[in-house]
Amino acid sequence: TPVTVATTVTETDLFSFRLNANELHPKIVLRFSFSGVYSNTNGVDTFDLKVKMTDSAGATTYSTITSTAGAVTNVGFSGTWTGTVYTIGSSGTIQPDLVGRINNVNKVEADSATVALNTTITQTFSLTITWSANTAGNTATIRNAILEVIN
């Protein structure tokens, strides 16, 4: 079901998926692909797309890409986030990378270091959006999203 986020500066989930405790193992790859459309009415505002995981201790942002300002109507955004689990346990680590495209502008966040990931507790994987301003008519709708767990 498409999820639409409109006229808000509150960080909002476009997609979420639950990963159970102890479900991940070393060298497992999470690959998340997504696409959608957005409209920016004033041409000044931007938005951040963030890939996060949230557990009982809080949220960790693994990757962020930011749109380029411009007045547009129903133009595309898409991306692929890949995370390779290197170590597991309460001090587990993951190597994240996000490659995206927003309104035909390439966006790349290639992280050079691993990031903490506690694999012993349930994690909620999510793609969130945060608009830079609460402007009437700013919308973003996710149309397709898939999270693959590759052994």
Side-chain angles (χ1 to χ4, degrees):
T1 303
V3 173
T4 299
V5 176
T7 316
T8 182
V9 293
T10 302
E11 184 174 22
T12 307
D13 285 352
L14 286 171
F15 173 88
S16 65
F17 183 83
R18 185 175 140 176
L19 296 166
N20 294 318
N22 301 309
E23 186 173 3
L24 302 175
H25 57 79
K27 304 304 178 206
I28 201 167
V29 174
L30 302 176
R31 182 171 54 202
F32 175 61
S33 301
F34 61 90
S35 64
V37 296
Y38 76 99
S39 296
N40 180 340
T41 59
N42 67 12
V44 176
D45 301 338
T46 60
F47 62 84
D48 290 335
L49 293 174
K50 295 179 183 178
V51 174
K52 305 172 84 163
M53 286 199 217
T54 304
D55 58 33
S56 57
T60 301
T61 299
Y62 290 98
S63 300
T64 303
I65 56 176
T66 301
S67 68
T68 303
V72 295
T73 303
N74 289 328
V75 298
F77 66 86
S78 61
T80 300
W81 179 87
T82 306
T84 302
V85 176
Y86 283 174
T87 59
I88 59 172
S90 59
S91 299
T93 57
I94 190 168
Q95 174 66 56
D97 290 296
L98 175 60
V99 176
R101 194 165 174 84
I102 302 173
N103 192 21
N104 294 319
V105 176
N106 291 331
K107 305 288 182 173
V108 178
E109 182 181 272
D111 298 293
S112 60
T114 59
V115 182
L117 172 63
N118 185 345
T119 62
T120 66
I121 56 179
T122 299
Q123 297 283 342
T124 300
F125 177 95
S126 61
L127 175 69
T128 68
I129 184 169
T130 307
W131 281 96
S132 63
N134 187 3
T135 303
N138 284 354
T139 62
T141 303
I142 192 157
R143 302 271 190 207
N144 298 292
I146 184 169
L147 178 62
E148 301 170 276
V149 179
I150 304 167
N151 288 315

